[in-house]
């Protein structure tokens, strides 16, 4: 066997794994990503991208490409429930559809207040190639058709045996860290023996049928994203893939009655689709058939020494709300800058413990919301939807860890409404600025290094950041915000939005979360900033 060393070995080439690769490369960390399948996803899963995840992709310069890929589904909206597709009342459909734009507009306006990005509809089959192409242009190595055979870790690293599935050739990889992005049936999580909590299957079992069929005759241009079929023989839902002729149909099945995924042949799936549509003479082409279940499951710990669980390997949640893949992508975002800081010897390895501390809480909040949405939809159990705001779940959770310098405050962070006001542990507020003759968001200044926002003419903070950066070997970018600073306010007041005075300052981490804030300013900026950075990193 050949031997190779790489700082990070990523196992799994799905959305979480590819995002890990992209952010590690951005932080100048070499990696090897292996994926057991021969290429990117061949089935259109995980179609909804939240505006927070689009902010993450914006940092990578991929927002425009993803937006273009999502254009066919830009106008897809709303849900309807019918007996069959054929039974749709087009006049009634038009009435229902006409009420949707007002609802959409209100959501868009709420998002526009807090983010430079908008949600997108781009399924995994379309998104993975975009991420892969970007990854192939940067640092690191990606091997498909390659699987992890075994691994062992010690005090100084991880030794893994990987195998090319086509040739059978094995290779020994020595890495400093291993990122487990190997999905819901993660063999790495099983190897760590980390237990999971959660109620398991809570929303039933389904067969996901990806197929081609022309349904335009029945829909007459209607663009509903979800068409519930109430026919008890084939109870399920149609979801469009390309807004033309490609669809997935989710049909329920019951294992307790002896039904198995293997029972759903292409022939049977064609008959199911025909019954759901309400016709018997339609041309249907089946592309793929996958079983799935609405599951609630979370690993009790996302770290096992030098091994980190991300995405579905760490947590599973019902698809209601569309949080699943978005949560995994944000896991990768949170972990990457911390791995980079430790690998570049800019931080103590204990910084890596904050990955679990921060993301496990965010996952708990998100899973609860997804489950509540599911229970509300199927009228099962007790739903507490009124206690949790959807926007707050998307971007408004608050991290608590040693990588956050908490403020002495008697107020509890709320999740029943979105609060982004510069409080440490929350995502830095978005506002529009004029910077170098361009209109940008505050979030566009964040992503690679630590960032210090302050008011114009606060030169002491520039000096402090320069000295601390030199002392710790950690870059800190400083931006003055005001009517005449580096960054000129376009509309909002920076002081009001970030809840600081003209002498205040806000330190933001590479992942866009506020690490520390001083509202009134400090008598010795150099000393306090040195203490803050040292506390976070060391």
């Amino acid at each position: 066997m050949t031997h190779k060393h790489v700082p990070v070995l990523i196992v799994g080439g799905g959305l979480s794994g590819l995002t890990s690769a992209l952010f590690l490369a951005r932080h100048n960390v070499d990696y090897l990503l292996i994926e057991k399948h021969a290429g990117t996803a061949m089935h259109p899963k995980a179609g909804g991208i939240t505006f927070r995840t689009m902010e993450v992709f914006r940092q990578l310069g991929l927002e425009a490409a993803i937006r273009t890929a999502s254009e066919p589904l830009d106008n897809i909206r709303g849900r309807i429930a019918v007996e069959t597709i054929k039974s749709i009342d087009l006049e009634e459909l038009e009435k229902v559809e006409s009420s949707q734009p007002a609802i959409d507009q209100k959501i868009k306006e709420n998002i526009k207040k807090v983010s430079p990005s908008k949600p997108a509809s781009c399924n995994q089959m379309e998104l993975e190639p975009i991420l892969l192409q970007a990854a192939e242009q940067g640092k690191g190595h990606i091997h498909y058709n390659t699987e992890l055979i075994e691994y062992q870790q010690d005090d100084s690293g991880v030794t893994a045996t990987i195998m090319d599935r086509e040739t059978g050739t094995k290779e020994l990889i020595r890495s400093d860290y291993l990122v487990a992005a190997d999905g819901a049936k993660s063999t790495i999580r099983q190897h760590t023996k980390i237990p999971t909590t959660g109620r398991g299957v809570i929303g039933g079992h389904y067969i996901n049928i990806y197929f081609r069929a022309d349904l335009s005759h029945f829909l007459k241009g209607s663009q509903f994203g979800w068409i519930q079929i109430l026919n008890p023989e084939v109870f399920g839902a149609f979801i469009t893939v390309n807004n033309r002729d490609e669809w997935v149909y989710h049909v329920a099945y019951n294992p307790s009655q002896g039904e198995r995924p293997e029972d759903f042949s292409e022939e049977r799936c064609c008959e199911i689709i025909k019954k759901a549509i309400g016709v018997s003479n339609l041309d249907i082409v089946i592309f793929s058939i996958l079983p799935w279940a609405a599951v609630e499951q979370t690993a009790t710990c996302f770290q096992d020494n030098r091994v980190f669980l991300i995405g579905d390997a760490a947590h599973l949640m019902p698809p209601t709300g569309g949080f699943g893949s978005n949560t995994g992508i944000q896991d990768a975002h949170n972990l990457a800058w911390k791995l980079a800081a430790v690998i570049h010897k800019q931080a103590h390895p204990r910084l890596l413990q904050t990955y679990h501390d921060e993301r496990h809480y965010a996952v708990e909040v998100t899973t609860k919301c997804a489950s509540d949405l599911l229970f509300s939809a199927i009228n099962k159990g007790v739903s507490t939807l009124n206690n949790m705001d959807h926007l707050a779940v998307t971007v408004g959770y608050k991290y608590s860890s040693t990588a956050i310098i908490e403020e002495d405050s008697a107020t509890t962070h709320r999740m029943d409404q979105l609060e982004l006001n510069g409080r440490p542990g929350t995502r830095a507020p978005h506002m529009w600025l004029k910077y170098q003759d361009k209109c940008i968001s505050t979030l566009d200044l964040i992503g690679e290094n630590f960032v210090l926002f302050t008011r114009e003419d606060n030169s002491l903070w520039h000096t402090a950041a320069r000295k601390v950066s030199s002392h710790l070997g950690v870059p800190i970018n400083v931006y003055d915000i005001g009517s005449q600073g580096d960054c000129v306010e376009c509309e909002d007041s920076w002081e009001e939005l970030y809840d600081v005075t003209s002498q205040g300052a806000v330190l933001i981490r590479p992942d866009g979360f506020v690490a520390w804030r001083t509202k009134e300013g400090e008598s010795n900026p150099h000393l306090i900033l040195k203490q803050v950075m040292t506390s976070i990193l060391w």
Side-chain angles (χ1 to χ4, degrees), residues 346-391:
Q346 297 172 335
H348 192 280
R350 71 170 63 93
L351 174 66
L352 298 174
Q353 297 172 11
T354 67
Y355 165 66
H356 165 83
D357 296 338
E358 295 176 354
R359 290 305 301 164
H360 197 272
Y361 166 73
V363 167
E364 287 181 323
V365 168
T366 308
T367 300
K368 183 180 186 307
C369 182
S371 295
D372 282 349
L373 285 167
L374 177 65
F375 291 150
S376 177
I378 61 178
N379 298 315
K380 175 182 176 182
V382 178
S383 172
T384 56
L385 285 176
N386 291 333
N387 295 330
M388 205 176 294
D389 178 77
H390 194 278
L391 286 185

Side-chain angles (χ1 to χ4, degrees), residues 79-138:
R79 299 183 175 212
I80 55 170
V82 294
E83 187 71 18
T84 64
I85 294 288
K86 186 180 180 181
S87 70
I88 290 176
D89 183 327
L90 292 177
E91 289 186 8
E92 185 64 27
L93 191 67
E94 188 174 342
K95 291 179 184 177
V96 175
E97 200 167 33
S98 64
S99 66
Q100 192 64 38
I103 298 173
D104 290 349
Q105 187 59 34
K106 184 175 181 180
I107 294 172
K108 289 178 182 178
E109 288 173 359
N110 288 335
I111 293 174
K112 190 176 181 181
K113 294 174 184 176
V114 298
S115 178
S117 300
K118 298 183 294 185
S121 295
C122 184
N123 65 65
Q124 192 167 347
M125 192 172 66
E126 300 288 337
L127 182 54
E128 281 187 15
I130 294 173
L131 303 186
L132 175 61
Q133 182 179 23
E136 289 176 334
Q137 295 172 355

Side-chain angles (χ1 to χ4, degrees), residues 297-315:
Q297 176 181 291
T298 305
T300 57
C301 186
F302 292 173
Q303 178 184 7
D304 176 34
N305 193 16
R306 291 175 173 269
V307 177
F308 299 87
L309 308 180
I310 68 172
D312 287 353
H315 46 75

Side-chain angles (χ1 to χ4, degrees), residues 3-9 152-161 171-177 306:
H3 298 252
K4 182 186 296 182
H5 175 269
V6 66
V8 180
L9 173 62
Q152 293 155 349
Q153 59 175 318
D154 52 47
D155 291 342
S156 60
V158 180
T159 302
T161 302
E171 191 172 3
L172 206 61
I173 302 295
R174 180 69 176 173
S175 63
D176 300 323
Y177 298 98
R306 291 175 173 269

Side-chain angles (χ1 to χ4, degrees), residues 189-206:
R189 187 189 65 239
Q190 295 171 21
H191 185 269
T192 64
K193 294 184 169 55
I194 294 174
T196 60
T197 59
R199 290 170 283 189
V201 177
I202 59 174
H205 294 81
Y206 298 87

Side-chain angles (χ1 to χ4, degrees), residues 8-69:
V8 180
L9 173 62
I10 305 169
V11 180
L15 298 178
S16 300
L18 287 169
T19 302
S20 291
L22 286 163
F23 275 103
L24 286 171
R26 183 170 191 197
H27 293 298
N28 199 31
V29 173
D30 195 8
Y31 65 84
L32 170 63
L33 182 153
I34 61 171
E35 165 57 50
K36 66 181 180 180
H37 293 103
T40 54
M42 301 296 290
H43 197 98
K45 301 179 290 183
I49 307 177
T50 66
F51 69 88
R52 174 56 191 156
T53 300
M54 288 298 282
E55 291 173 4
V56 170
F57 290 140
R58 184 184 180 96
Q59 286 190 7
L60 294 167
L62 297 177
E63 185 177 33
I66 295 171
R67 182 71 55 206
T68 298

Side-chain angles (χ1 to χ4, degrees), residues 443-456:
L443 303 188
D444 294 329
L445 299 171
I446 301 164
E448 191 167 354
N449 302 321
F450 277 84
V451 166
L452 189 69
F453 284 155
T454 184
R455 199 62 169 173
E456 57 196 6

